[in-house]
Amino acid sequence: MNQVYREEKKFLINIDEFLRKSHQLEQVMAQDEHNGTHGYLIRSLYFDTMYDSDYFEKLAGIETRRKVRLRCYDPDSDYAMLEMKQKKGSSQLKRSLRVSREDAMRMIAGDYTPLLTYPEDFAAEMYAFMMMKCYRPKTIVQYNRKAFIAKENKIRVTFDNQIVSTESSFDLFDPDLNMYPVLDKSKVVLEVKFNGFLLEYIKQMLHSVDKSELSVSKYALARQQSYPME
């Protein structure tokens, strides 16, 4: 099981700003090893309760909340990551467990018993939690990510674009999902994840985007298609 504590800031920027800031970061930070010319694919299947409690708690700004998802980086992958993100204010804890493709598909179908075969305590915790709260698949969100890393303080800066979603199929491994955009294609979500403090050059980079700080998650953006804003 992987466990990561960190703080996170999100900003909404345009494509031109993404290109400028990405070029700046290439000079001072290491690129994620998975970055290609345009980054790499991320696809997540989000789960929620029968009453979409996680979604509505996010909209209400509840200080302590969570998200549960299965994530893969390629539809041909033979595994997925089961993740729980727990957030309190600006701080968050992300725990994750690698599960086989077969077990992920059984979870998507509502069978969480495969989790009882994993030795990690987190697996048993997630089985009990998802059963007790009646978690079910709600939406798939996919996007392209370009990521940069500073080894000092484990800072990670990511740019997410081409964000699309679907609620018509929950097959995480289907290469031909019919998805629709949930954000204007000219917009990019910039995320900065860090422990404790930010390095000065990253603070300077963020200074110009402070007014665009974003509170809505990609999961919430996708679910708004089911609950359109008045």
Side-chain angles (χ1 to χ4, degrees):
M1 184 193 77
N2 294 324
Q3 183 167 290
V4 180
Y5 292 92
R6 61 191 177 190
E7 293 186 56
E8 182 178 273
K9 288 180 174 290
K10 294 182 182 181
F11 305 89
L12 189 62
I13 62 177
N14 59 42
I15 286 286
D16 290 341
E17 195 165 17
F18 156 56
L19 294 174
R20 288 196 302 271
K21 295 194 179 302
S22 177
H23 178 70
Q24 292 172 7
L25 293 181
E26 287 174 359
Q27 316 307 312
V28 293
M29 297 180 75
Q31 291 203 40
D32 186 290
E33 62 180 346
H34 299 101
N35 279 359
T37 303
H38 304 292
Y40 58 94
L41 180 79
I42 293 180
R43 181 184 284 184
S44 298
L45 169 60
Y46 287 90
F47 294 75
D48 209 331
T49 68
M50 292 176 59
Y51 303 105
D52 292 338
S53 302
D54 294 349
Y55 171 69
F56 285 112
E57 287 180 2
K58 171 64 177 176
L59 291 191
I62 303 299
E63 184 178 20
T64 302
R65 56 186 184 271
R66 66 181 59 83
K67 285 198 290 271
V68 176
R69 68 193 180 201
L70 279 170
R71 169 169 286 187
C72 73
Y73 300 92
D74 185 333
D76 290 331
S77 178
D78 61 358
Y79 73 93
M81 300 301 295
L82 174 63
E83 299 181 343
M84 176 186 276
K85 289 182 69 175
Q86 296 166 279
K87 189 166 184 178
K88 184 174 183 180
S90 61
S91 299
Q92 65 175 265
L93 166 65
K94 184 178 80 170
R95 293 181 291 165
S96 57
L97 174 74
R98 178 169 169 154
V99 299
S100 70
R101 181 187 181 109
E102 178 183 355
D103 289 345
M105 291 301 296
R106 288 177 63 182
M107 293 180 64
I108 293 168
D111 177 9
Y112 304 136
T113 56
L115 291 174
L116 298 177
T117 67
Y118 290 82
E120 293 86 352
D121 291 342
F122 178 61
E125 178 187 337
M126 288 302 295
Y127 170 80
F129 177 80
M130 295 179 75
M131 289 290 291
M132 180 177 65
K133 298 287 188 179
C134 296
Y135 270 74
R136 292 294 181 267
K138 296 292 181 172
T139 187
I140 288 179
V141 179
Q142 177 180 292
Y143 50 91
N144 196 72
R145 166 168 286 179
K146 193 164 189 178
F148 298 89
I149 303 163
K151 293 182 180 179
E152 311 92 337
N153 208 30
K154 298 181 180 179
I155 297 171
R156 186 173 175 85
V157 179
T158 61
F159 299 90
D160 298 336
N161 61 83
Q162 302 179 40
I163 304 172
V164 294
S165 177
T166 183
E167 295 183 0
S168 62
S169 172
F170 299 132
D171 185 350
L172 186 65
F173 302 104
D174 184 347
D176 300 312
L177 286 176
N178 184 22
M179 293 186 276
Y180 51 84
V182 299
L183 193 66
D184 190 306
K185 291 184 178 180
S186 68
K187 300 298 183 182
V188 177
V189 175
L190 162 62
E191 298 185 12
V192 183
K193 306 174 179 77
F194 60 99
N195 292 338
F197 64 91
L198 282 172
L199 298 175
E200 187 60 32
Y201 69 87
I202 297 180
K203 285 184 180 179
Q204 292 178 5
M205 182 202 71
L206 294 178
H207 181 71
S208 63
V209 298
D210 277 349
K211 293 182 179 179
S212 68
E213 190 157 1
L214 188 67
S215 61
V216 178
S217 68
K218 288 182 280 290
Y219 171 58
L221 287 171
R223 294 311 311 280
Q224 282 176 7
Q225 308 301 314
S226 298
Y227 297 100
M229 304 296 289
E230 295 294 335

